[in-house]
PDB file of all heavy atoms in Angstrom:
ATOM      1  N   ASP A 803     -19.300  -2.821  84.636  1.00  0.00           N
ATOM      2  CA  ASP A 803     -18.295  -3.797  84.253  1.00  0.00           C
ATOM      3  C   ASP A 803     -18.302  -3.919  82.688  1.00  0.00           C
ATOM      4  O   ASP A 803     -19.165  -3.387  82.040  1.00  0.00           O
ATOM      5  CB  ASP A 803     -18.553  -5.103  84.950  1.00  0.00           C
ATOM      6  CG  ASP A 803     -19.863  -5.800  84.627  1.00  0.00           C
ATOM      7  OD1 ASP A 803     -20.402  -5.586  83.518  1.00  0.00           O
ATOM      8  OD2 ASP A 803     -20.416  -6.431  85.521  1.00  0.00           O
ATOM      9  N   MET A 804     -17.348  -4.701  82.167  1.00  0.00           N
ATOM     10  CA  MET A 804     -17.164  -4.744  80.687  1.00  0.00           C
ATOM     11  C   MET A 804     -18.347  -5.479  80.038  1.00  0.00           C
ATOM     12  O   MET A 804     -18.696  -5.102  78.952  1.00  0.00           O
ATOM     13  CB  MET A 804     -15.912  -5.474  80.380  1.00  0.00           C
ATOM     14  CG  MET A 804     -14.589  -4.667  80.749  1.00  0.00           C
ATOM     15  SD  MET A 804     -14.612  -2.971  80.118  1.00  0.00           S
ATOM     16  CE  MET A 804     -14.687  -3.209  78.346  1.00  0.00           C
ATOM     17  N   ASP A 805     -18.945  -6.452  80.757  1.00  0.00           N
ATOM     18  CA  ASP A 805     -20.168  -7.058  80.201  1.00  0.00           C
ATOM     19  C   ASP A 805     -21.313  -6.103  79.998  1.00  0.00           C
ATOM     20  O   ASP A 805     -22.009  -6.134  79.005  1.00  0.00           O
ATOM     21  CB  ASP A 805     -20.619  -8.210  81.146  1.00  0.00           C
ATOM     22  CG  ASP A 805     -19.605  -9.386  81.038  1.00  0.00           C
ATOM     23  OD1 ASP A 805     -18.907  -9.469  80.049  1.00  0.00           O
ATOM     24  OD2 ASP A 805     -19.619 -10.216  81.969  1.00  0.00           O
ATOM     25  N   GLU A 806     -21.418  -5.191  81.008  1.00  0.00           N
ATOM     26  CA  GLU A 806     -22.566  -4.230  80.957  1.00  0.00           C
ATOM     27  C   GLU A 806     -22.295  -3.179  79.825  1.00  0.00           C
ATOM     28  O   GLU A 806     -23.235  -2.746  79.087  1.00  0.00           O
ATOM     29  CB  GLU A 806     -22.658  -3.450  82.283  1.00  0.00           C
ATOM     30  CG  GLU A 806     -23.194  -4.366  83.425  1.00  0.00           C
ATOM     31  CD  GLU A 806     -23.089  -3.634  84.753  1.00  0.00           C
ATOM     32  OE1 GLU A 806     -22.114  -2.971  84.945  1.00  0.00           O
ATOM     33  OE2 GLU A 806     -24.009  -3.851  85.533  1.00  0.00           O
ATOM     34  N   LEU A 807     -21.009  -2.858  79.619  1.00  0.00           N
ATOM     35  CA  LEU A 807     -20.655  -1.917  78.477  1.00  0.00           C
ATOM     36  C   LEU A 807     -21.019  -2.603  77.123  1.00  0.00           C
ATOM     37  O   LEU A 807     -21.453  -1.922  76.271  1.00  0.00           O
ATOM     38  CB  LEU A 807     -19.200  -1.521  78.619  1.00  0.00           C
ATOM     39  CG  LEU A 807     -18.861  -0.503  79.627  1.00  0.00           C
ATOM     40  CD1 LEU A 807     -17.335  -0.366  79.734  1.00  0.00           C
ATOM     41  CD2 LEU A 807     -19.560   0.803  79.447  1.00  0.00           C
ATOM     42  N   HIS A 808     -20.701  -3.856  77.044  1.00  0.00           N
ATOM     43  CA  HIS A 808     -20.945  -4.599  75.789  1.00  0.00           C
ATOM     44  C   HIS A 808     -22.492  -4.712  75.513  1.00  0.00           C
ATOM     45  O   HIS A 808     -22.985  -4.691  74.392  1.00  0.00           O
ATOM     46  CB  HIS A 808     -20.285  -5.929  75.737  1.00  0.00           C
ATOM     47  CG  HIS A 808     -18.750  -5.867  75.537  1.00  0.00           C
ATOM     48  ND1 HIS A 808     -17.871  -6.145  76.453  1.00  0.00           N
ATOM     49  CD2 HIS A 808     -18.081  -5.492  74.384  1.00  0.00           C
ATOM     50  CE1 HIS A 808     -16.618  -5.925  75.956  1.00  0.00           C
ATOM     51  NE2 HIS A 808     -16.746  -5.553  74.663  1.00  0.00           N
ATOM     52  N   ILE A 809     -23.209  -4.983  76.603  1.00  0.00           N
ATOM     53  CA  ILE A 809     -24.686  -5.059  76.435  1.00  0.00           C
ATOM     54  C   ILE A 809     -25.277  -3.717  76.053  1.00  0.00           C
ATOM     55  O   ILE A 809     -26.148  -3.607  75.187  1.00  0.00           O
ATOM     56  CB  ILE A 809     -25.329  -5.482  77.760  1.00  0.00           C
ATOM     57  CG1 ILE A 809     -24.997  -6.970  78.010  1.00  0.00           C
ATOM     58  CG2 ILE A 809     -26.882  -5.334  77.790  1.00  0.00           C
ATOM     59  CD1 ILE A 809     -25.393  -7.497  79.485  1.00  0.00           C
ATOM     60  N   MET A 810     -24.714  -2.648  76.624  1.00  0.00           N
ATOM     61  CA  MET A 810     -25.127  -1.276  76.221  1.00  0.00           C
ATOM     62  C   MET A 810     -24.814  -1.038  74.774  1.00  0.00           C
ATOM     63  O   MET A 810     -25.656  -0.384  74.019  1.00  0.00           O
ATOM     64  CB  MET A 810     -24.344  -0.288  77.189  1.00  0.00           C
ATOM     65  CG  MET A 810     -24.928   1.076  77.256  1.00  0.00           C
ATOM     66  SD  MET A 810     -23.906   2.217  78.214  1.00  0.00           S
ATOM     67  CE  MET A 810     -23.908   1.448  79.790  1.00  0.00           C
ATOM     68  N   LEU A 811     -23.680  -1.471  74.328  1.00  0.00           N
ATOM     69  CA  LEU A 811     -23.305  -1.336  72.956  1.00  0.00           C
ATOM     70  C   LEU A 811     -24.204  -2.100  72.044  1.00  0.00           C
ATOM     71  O   LEU A 811     -24.618  -1.677  70.985  1.00  0.00           O
ATOM     72  CB  LEU A 811     -21.823  -1.779  72.793  1.00  0.00           C
ATOM     73  CG  LEU A 811     -21.206  -1.460  71.407  1.00  0.00           C
ATOM     74  CD1 LEU A 811     -21.262   0.019  71.133  1.00  0.00           C
ATOM     75  CD2 LEU A 811     -19.754  -1.936  71.444  1.00  0.00           C
ATOM     76  N   GLN A 812     -24.595  -3.383  72.434  1.00  0.00           N
ATOM     77  CA  GLN A 812     -25.461  -4.118  71.657  1.00  0.00           C
ATOM     78  C   GLN A 812     -26.877  -3.452  71.489  1.00  0.00           C
ATOM     79  O   GLN A 812     -27.539  -3.497  70.465  1.00  0.00           O
ATOM     80  CB  GLN A 812     -25.620  -5.532  72.272  1.00  0.00           C
ATOM     81  CG  GLN A 812     -24.411  -6.402  72.129  1.00  0.00           C
ATOM     82  CD  GLN A 812     -24.538  -7.748  72.874  1.00  0.00           C
ATOM     83  OE1 GLN A 812     -25.588  -7.961  73.464  1.00  0.00           O
ATOM     84  NE2 GLN A 812     -23.464  -8.493  72.887  1.00  0.00           N
ATOM     85  N   THR A 813     -27.270  -2.833  72.647  1.00  0.00           N
ATOM     86  CA  THR A 813     -28.655  -2.138  72.576  1.00  0.00           C
ATOM     87  C   THR A 813     -28.608  -1.038  71.556  1.00  0.00           C
ATOM     88  O   THR A 813     -29.557  -0.889  70.754  1.00  0.00           O
ATOM     89  CB  THR A 813     -28.898  -1.592  74.032  1.00  0.00           C
ATOM     90  OG1 THR A 813     -28.927  -2.694  74.876  1.00  0.00           O
ATOM     91  CG2 THR A 813     -30.284  -0.957  74.055  1.00  0.00           C
ATOM     92  N   ILE A 814     -27.534  -0.239  71.606  1.00  0.00           N
ATOM     93  CA  ILE A 814     -27.466   0.859  70.681  1.00  0.00           C
ATOM     94  C   ILE A 814     -27.273   0.397  69.235  1.00  0.00           C
ATOM     95  O   ILE A 814     -27.787   0.961  68.275  1.00  0.00           O
ATOM     96  CB  ILE A 814     -26.406   1.864  71.047  1.00  0.00           C
ATOM     97  CG1 ILE A 814     -26.566   3.232  70.348  1.00  0.00           C
ATOM     98  CG2 ILE A 814     -25.023   1.388  70.738  1.00  0.00           C
ATOM     99  CD1 ILE A 814     -27.721   4.008  70.917  1.00  0.00           C
ATOM    100  N   ASP A 815     -26.586  -0.750  69.064  1.00  0.00           N
ATOM    101  CA  ASP A 815     -26.436  -1.385  67.780  1.00  0.00           C
ATOM    102  C   ASP A 815     -27.857  -1.789  67.197  1.00  0.00           C
ATOM    103  O   ASP A 815     -28.077  -1.578  66.033  1.00  0.00           O
ATOM    104  CB  ASP A 815     -25.484  -2.646  67.864  1.00  0.00           C
ATOM    105  CG  ASP A 815     -24.056  -2.288  67.953  1.00  0.00           C
ATOM    106  OD1 ASP A 815     -23.732  -1.078  67.787  1.00  0.00           O
ATOM    107  OD2 ASP A 815     -23.293  -3.136  68.328  1.00  0.00           O
ATOM    108  N   PHE A 816     -28.615  -2.409  68.074  1.00  0.00           N
ATOM    109  CA  PHE A 816     -29.950  -2.832  67.640  1.00  0.00           C
ATOM    110  C   PHE A 816     -30.821  -1.624  67.272  1.00  0.00           C
ATOM    111  O   PHE A 816     -31.525  -1.670  66.224  1.00  0.00           O
ATOM    112  CB  PHE A 816     -30.633  -3.703  68.818  1.00  0.00           C
ATOM    113  CG  PHE A 816     -32.053  -4.075  68.442  1.00  0.00           C
ATOM    114  CD1 PHE A 816     -32.285  -5.159  67.649  1.00  0.00           C
ATOM    115  CD2 PHE A 816     -33.130  -3.365  68.988  1.00  0.00           C
ATOM    116  CE1 PHE A 816     -33.562  -5.527  67.287  1.00  0.00           C
ATOM    117  CE2 PHE A 816     -34.461  -3.710  68.670  1.00  0.00           C
ATOM    118  CZ  PHE A 816     -34.637  -4.820  67.895  1.00  0.00           C
ATOM    119  N   ARG A 817     -30.674  -0.600  67.999  1.00  0.00           N
ATOM    120  CA  ARG A 817     -31.415   0.644  67.792  1.00  0.00           C
ATOM    121  C   ARG A 817     -30.968   1.218  66.391  1.00  0.00           C
ATOM    122  O   ARG A 817     -31.895   1.526  65.550  1.00  0.00           O
ATOM    123  CB  ARG A 817     -31.121   1.657  68.880  1.00  0.00           C
ATOM    124  CG  ARG A 817     -31.726   3.017  68.663  1.00  0.00           C
ATOM    125  CD  ARG A 817     -33.216   2.981  68.838  1.00  0.00           C
ATOM    126  NE  ARG A 817     -33.825   4.385  68.818  1.00  0.00           N
ATOM    127  CZ  ARG A 817     -35.086   4.541  68.744  1.00  0.00           C
ATOM    128  NH1 ARG A 817     -35.967   3.576  68.656  1.00  0.00           N
ATOM    129  NH2 ARG A 817     -35.595   5.868  68.708  1.00  0.00           N
ATOM    130  N   VAL A 818     -29.700   1.215  66.160  1.00  0.00           N
ATOM    131  CA  VAL A 818     -29.286   1.784  64.845  1.00  0.00           C
ATOM    132  C   VAL A 818     -29.672   0.933  63.699  1.00  0.00           C
ATOM    133  O   VAL A 818     -30.160   1.390  62.675  1.00  0.00           O
ATOM    134  CB  VAL A 818     -27.692   1.916  64.910  1.00  0.00           C
ATOM    135  CG1 VAL A 818     -27.130   2.151  63.520  1.00  0.00           C
ATOM    136  CG2 VAL A 818     -27.308   3.002  65.896  1.00  0.00           C
ATOM    137  N   ASN A 819     -29.547  -0.422  63.842  1.00  0.00           N
ATOM    138  CA  ASN A 819     -29.925  -1.386  62.811  1.00  0.00           C
ATOM    139  C   ASN A 819     -31.438  -1.282  62.502  1.00  0.00           C
ATOM    140  O   ASN A 819     -31.816  -1.323  61.310  1.00  0.00           O
ATOM    141  CB  ASN A 819     -29.548  -2.831  63.119  1.00  0.00           C
ATOM    142  CG  ASN A 819     -28.019  -2.945  63.151  1.00  0.00           C
ATOM    143  OD1 ASN A 819     -27.266  -2.234  62.565  1.00  0.00           O
ATOM    144  ND2 ASN A 819     -27.558  -3.924  63.976  1.00  0.00           N
TER     145      ASN A 819
END
Side-chain angles (χ1 to χ4, degrees):
D803 61 32
M804 292 308 300
D805 288 340
E806 289 170 326
L807 285 175
H808 283 110
I809 291 171
M810 200 183 299
L811 190 55
Q812 288 172 4
T813 303
I814 197 72
D815 285 346
F816 177 77
R817 175 71 172 168
V818 168
N819 293 334

